[in-house]
Amino acid sequence: MSCSWAPGPNAVGRSVFDLQTMLRTISFRHPWLPRLIPDGVFGERTLEAVMLFQRELFPPVTGIVDNAVWDAIVSAYRQCCTALAPPLPCNGYPSRSYTISPGQSCVHLGLIQSMFLGLGCILEGLEKAEVNGTMDDCTVQNIRWIQRLNQAEETGVIDQLVWDTLARLYMLFVTYAQTPRTSRPERFAQ
């Protein structure tokens, strides 16, 4: 990907739009850059952003986007995309038809029990279960708690509905909670 032009009133088009988009993304990681709104026109704010980029990351300051400056902006953009991207999600449940019954042991129960451990510090009604990979009595009680929430038959068997509810609760109350420790600090005391 290469591009070269001198900024001016005639600099418009897709390359300028792409440049503005990259500089905007970089600005989320480097707040000294102006937060451009891409419009495809190389105007005063775009010139300012290019010059600030050159001053801070790729001297000398010329305001001209030649191949070297373009490549430096592309490189910084890619680094920022990686740094700003959310972590990859983890699919912790094998398939829609998979079930785990009381008394069974499997590797997936470690994750499930860990999720219950985290939720048990925040939500009322969950048993403090140990993470052992076995569907023990505490884990069965927690599964039944989930099934009660779903108004489903309380079998103690983990199925897709139980997993979906558990995953949603964990996401809401643990993963995306701003500060789970401040919501119930007494629960986290050692």
Side-chain angles (χ1 to χ4, degrees), residues 6 41 48 51 66 73-74 90 99 130 159 163 166 169 175 177:
V41 177
E48 175 189 0
M51 294 175 81
D66 58 16
I73 290 170
V74 168
C90 173
T99 61
E130 101 181 52
D159 59 11
W163 168 259
L166 178 60
L169 289 171
T175 303

Side-chain angles (χ1 to χ4, degrees), residues 112-187:
I112 290 166
Q113 290 168 329
S114 295
M115 293 167 74
F116 277 128
L117 197 60
L119 285 167
C121 294
I122 299 166
L123 302 177
E124 295 287 335
L126 290 171
E127 301 283 328
K128 289 263 187 194
E130 101 181 52
V131 178
N132 59 20
T134 300
M135 185 73 117
D136 56 20
D137 289 338
C138 285
T139 305
V140 170
Q141 290 307 313
N142 289 338
I143 298 305
R144 287 186 174 140
W145 181 85
I146 293 274
Q147 290 169 329
R148 258 191 310 283
L149 286 178
N150 287 330
Q151 298 178 348
E153 184 181 355
E154 294 181 34
T155 62
V157 174
I158 299 172
D159 59 11
Q160 184 72 43
L161 180 60
V162 168
W163 168 259
D164 289 347
T165 304
L166 178 60
R168 198 170 18 264
L169 289 171
Y170 190 83
M171 183 175 53
L172 289 170
F173 290 101
V174 179
T175 303
Y176 293 134
Q178 293 294 319
T179 53
R181 290 183 179 272
T182 59
S183 63
R184 306 285 309 258
E186 71 281 1
R187 294 280 184 119

Side-chain angles (χ1 to χ4, degrees), residues 13-87:
R14 184 66 199 189
S15 293
V16 177
F17 185 88
D18 291 345
L19 172 71
Q20 292 167 327
T21 300
M22 290 187 292
L23 288 169
R24 177 179 173 80
T25 300
I26 295 167
S27 75
F28 287 102
R29 187 105 193 267
H30 300 288
W32 41 263
L33 268 178
R35 189 82 28 98
L36 298 175
I37 297 175
D39 62 3
V41 177
F42 199 118
E44 201 173 303
R45 297 237 332 133
T46 304
L47 175 61
E48 175 189 0
V50 167
M51 294 175 81
L52 286 169
F53 177 87
Q54 290 173 321
R55 182 187 76 191
E56 297 296 324
L57 299 176
F58 197 76
V61 177
T62 64
I64 296 172
V65 181
D66 58 16
N67 285 337
V69 172
W70 179 268
D71 290 344
I73 290 170
V74 168
S75 177
Y77 167 75
R78 287 181 177 152
Q79 289 173 1
C80 288
C81 285
T82 299
L84 296 170

